[in-house]
Amino acid sequence: MSKPFTITTAISYPNGRPHIGHAYEVIATDAIARFQRMMGRDVFFQTGTDEHGLKMAQTARARGIEPRALADEMASYFREMNDRLNISYDRFIRTSEPDHHRASQAIWQAMEASGDLYLGRYEGWYSVRDEAFYDEKEIVEGEGGAKLSPQGTPVEWTVEESWFFRLSAYQDRLLALYRDQPDFIQPESRRNEILRFVEGGLSDLSVSRTSFDWGVKVPGAEGHVMYVWVDALTNYLTGCGYPDDADRMARYWAEGGDITHIIGKDIVRFHTVYWPAFLMSAKLPLPRRVFGHGFLLNRGEKMSKSVGNVADPMALADTFGVDQLRYFLLSEVTFGNDGSYSAEAIVQRSNSDLGNAFGNLAQRTLSFIAKNLGGRLPAINNRAEADEELLTLIDRAVRMDMPKAMDELAPSVAIDHWLRAAFACNQYIDAQAPWTLRKTDPERMEVVLATLYVAIAQLAVAILPVIPASAAALLDHMGVPADKRRYDAIGSNWYDDLVQSGFTIEAPRPLFPRLELPDAQEA
């Protein structure tokens, strides 16, 4: 029996409404979670909001409201986005929840028991926007002599009493981790960046603040709240039952467990340096892998509120369709690299891949059966070599190639396999021409239609993690049983049972109506 599979997004910092970058991460993670469920695995998928820290406190103050009110409002927008995009999360966690405070305080006490926390005085550079501390060697000069972080965000000199974590003591253990588990940090480019950073030497990390109080209170330290990243990273443990639910921890956060974090490339350091060090200190298991995906660019440019090119994922979903948006993001962008989107690109790919390559294939095949056979499903008798070749090709694509790509966190590669299989079906139907066989060889026509019916159903099952609503609607219409909608179960045996049951199919409605550019985009 396979191990349970735990997968998380980074929790989103809700000092503003969600943008398309948030949507991209959670859509990709959702597709992977859905795929693993379709492989028969016990999956726990968590996403949510990271609600503490100075940035939230400042944003709330600027609006004249309490941080809690801001967190409640903004968290609702992120939950709404997840639900609108058909994200199959098992838990939407908020770091302001009581059980998360308990978990954060428990890991703090575990690190303290290991002798890795000490009280000191922090003097150094801090970026409010990144909620991150930076060494002097990392600071760069900006315009007018401004001090900037490696990300280009403003930093300010901060002096306050602080608890410190002995990060410097974990340099060798972290390097050993990267050496012994080369796939711990993915893709390879991110691994190389982190290796260089850790090999350059680690300084102890300030892990508490006294200049504000919106956060998890440090146990036994009056006036201190936890550095937001200690609190934020611990969310992954909270969802897995830490510290009170030992059975749940053994199920979803076990030693040697299959635990994957999907995060943006800008926060890889926090997840692959600080996080494993915290876990080592607390004597807790480590995740199997951390995957740092790239940025999503608007027509090749980085999104910025000042430029005005930040896209609302809800508006895009309303304009183009949820599944069309999901398909575009997962097919267009090589996971791990930066990618670009535009209205024109979404329309073009949806129309060509979903509409023409797959939607029209299903439409004309099922409509032909409804019209010419009265909806009766034809039996498969006397298959020809061309039929066997197509079904073998489809079977390999959907039961071998696509699962391998998805397991390797390469959804765009999986979609490429799927699309080539759809193209093969279109070549087959054009070559076999059932509309001609209807007059010349009705028996052969039925075999061709049955072959296409099975192939289309297999393709619909295979693409369920990417376009779940559309694929499920097609499978419902085709009468494919729910227990056959898995990668390890979709063959052709179900089809014989469906024929014997007397199932009939009606002409379908178009699965992917042709998209047009909104008027404002036509230029």
Side-chain angles (χ1 to χ4, degrees):
M1 186 175 178
S2 61
K3 297 177 183 177
F5 181 77
T6 298
I7 189 165
T8 74
T9 66
I11 49 175
S12 301
Y13 204 77
N15 66 323
R17 291 189 181 225
H19 56 66
I20 189 63
H22 295 116
Y24 173 56
E25 179 170 298
V26 78
I27 286 170
T29 310
D30 178 65
I32 296 163
R34 287 177 180 272
F35 156 72
Q36 292 289 354
R37 292 191 193 103
M38 287 174 59
M39 294 298 288
R41 299 186 71 179
D42 174 10
V43 173
F44 174 62
F45 168 24
Q46 179 164 294
T47 187
T49 43
D50 171 17
E51 300 178 6
H52 295 132
L54 180 57
K55 195 161 42 173
M56 282 289 283
Q58 290 179 341
T59 301
R61 185 162 54 247
R63 288 184 51 182
I65 59 177
E66 292 297 315
R68 164 68 70 174
L70 176 66
D72 290 345
E73 175 191 342
M74 290 299 173
S76 71
Y77 297 137
F78 281 85
R79 189 187 290 272
E80 180 186 8
M81 178 194 73
N82 279 273
D83 294 341
R84 177 76 178 90
L85 297 177
N86 201 4
I87 306 302
S88 62
Y89 59 86
D90 296 295
R91 177 166 180 179
F92 185 96
I93 192 169
R94 296 182 56 189
T95 57
S96 57
E97 294 168 347
D99 65 338
H100 177 68
H101 282 236
R102 287 196 302 276
S104 300
Q105 291 174 334
I107 195 173
W108 180 283
Q109 290 168 328
M111 294 190 294
E112 189 174 35
S114 293
D116 286 329
L117 298 176
Y118 63 91
L119 190 61
R121 175 183 173 88
Y122 179 75
E123 294 188 32
W125 297 106
Y126 186 75
S127 166
V128 175
R129 191 180 305 175
D130 298 342
E131 297 279 11
F133 301 100
Y134 293 103
D135 288 338
E136 183 72 40
K137 63 186 178 182
E138 298 180 273
I139 302 304
V140 297
E141 292 281 340
E143 292 184 9
K147 302 291 187 181
L148 303 175
S149 75
Q151 271 67 249
T153 57
V155 295
E156 56 190 43
W157 189 258
T158 301
V159 180
E160 62 183 300
E161 183 182 74
S162 175
W163 282 88
F164 285 81
F165 173 75
R166 298 186 195 277
L167 185 63
S168 58
Y170 285 85
Q171 179 174 347
D172 291 343
R173 290 182 65 181
L174 289 169
L175 291 174
L177 168 66
Y178 309 150
R179 181 194 66 232
D180 297 341
Q181 293 180 227
D183 63 346
F184 177 73
I185 307 172
Q186 298 180 24
E188 185 71 15
S189 58
R190 314 277 183 257
R191 181 174 181 272
N192 293 337
E193 292 170 8
I194 295 302
L195 268 173
R196 287 194 297 271
F197 174 74
V198 176
E199 287 169 348
L202 296 175
S203 302
D204 288 352
L205 182 67
S206 171
V207 290
S208 76
R209 305 296 305 274
T210 57
S211 53
F212 61 95
D213 61 2
W214 176 240
V216 178
K217 289 180 171 51
V218 172
E222 187 70 27
H224 286 257
V225 296
M226 291 183 196
Y227 171 44
V228 68
W229 277 102
V230 176
D231 155 21
L233 291 163
T234 302
N235 93 87
Y236 307 128
L237 295 176
T238 307
C240 293
Y242 184 76
D244 302 319
D245 192 337
D247 289 342
R248 185 170 178 80
M249 281 290 286
R251 185 174 175 183
Y252 293 121
W253 198 278
E255 192 71 45
D258 200 345
I259 304 160
T260 296
H261 297 315
I262 304 295
I263 60 167
K265 66 180 182 180
D266 55 332
I267 55 173
V268 170
R269 178 193 303 182
F270 304 99
H271 285 78
T272 60
V273 181
Y274 303 166
W275 182 224
F278 294 161
L279 291 169
M280 290 173 184
S281 175
K283 298 177 174 53
L284 291 167
L286 303 186
R288 173 191 160 197
R289 58 186 171 182
V290 177
F291 191 100
H293 63 77
F295 291 145
L296 201 58
L297 309 174
N298 188 333
R299 301 177 187 274
E301 295 183 353
K302 191 170 181 178
M303 288 181 285
S304 165
K305 290 180 182 179
S306 59
V307 175
N309 65 349
V310 178
D312 177 0
M314 308 287 272
L316 289 173
D318 290 342
T319 301
F320 302 113
V322 171
D323 278 352
Q324 287 85 342
L325 179 62
R326 289 174 61 108
Y327 181 87
F328 171 82
L329 292 175
L330 296 179
S331 61
E332 183 77 7
V333 183
T334 300
F335 202 46
N337 295 346
D338 289 349
S340 188
Y341 76 96
S342 66
E344 296 90 340
I346 296 172
V347 167
Q348 191 279 329
R349 188 171 278 274
S350 179
N351 287 343
S352 64
D353 295 7
L354 295 179
N356 295 339
F358 184 61
N360 285 349
L361 170 70
Q363 181 74 20
R364 58 179 175 164
T365 300
L366 304 184
S367 295
F368 193 93
I369 293 173
K371 180 179 179 181
N372 294 283
L373 297 178
R376 171 184 60 83
L377 301 191
I380 302 178
N381 297 310
N382 303 316
R383 278 182 179 155
E385 183 178 350
D387 313 329
E388 296 291 355
E389 286 179 353
L390 179 68
L391 291 176
T392 299
L393 183 153
I394 299 297
D395 197 63
R396 177 179 176 83
V398 305
R399 298 178 70 177
M400 295 178 63
D401 296 336
M402 289 186 70
K404 181 176 184 293
M406 290 297 290
D407 193 53
E408 293 173 352
L409 307 184
S412 67
V413 175
I415 291 172
D416 282 344
H417 288 302
W418 178 81
L419 195 57
R420 284 198 291 272
F423 289 152
C425 288
N426 281 287
Q427 292 168 350
Y428 171 86
I429 193 174
D430 289 342
Q432 299 301 319
W435 46 89
T436 300
L437 293 172
R438 181 172 62 87
K439 300 176 182 176
T440 61
D441 191 346
E443 185 175 333
R444 174 63 190 155
M445 175 199 73
E446 292 205 4
V447 176
V448 168
L449 293 174
T451 300
L452 284 166
Y453 200 96
V454 170
I456 290 166
Q458 285 186 293
L459 289 174
V461 168
I463 204 66
L464 267 169
V466 178
I467 51 170
S470 302
L474 177 59
L475 291 165
D476 289 346
H477 188 78
M478 295 178 71
V480 178
D483 64 351
K484 300 301 179 184
R485 300 181 191 186
R486 286 172 31 176
Y487 284 96
D488 60 354
I490 184 63
S492 59
N493 292 342
W494 60 271
Y495 182 76
D496 295 333
D497 294 338
L498 202 59
V499 172
Q500 293 298 320
S501 73
F503 177 83
T504 58
I505 189 166
E506 298 179 357
R509 290 181 293 181
L511 195 60
F512 301 104
R514 185 171 181 81
L515 295 181
E516 301 291 344
L517 278 175
D519 292 340
Q521 299 289 340
E522 294 176 352

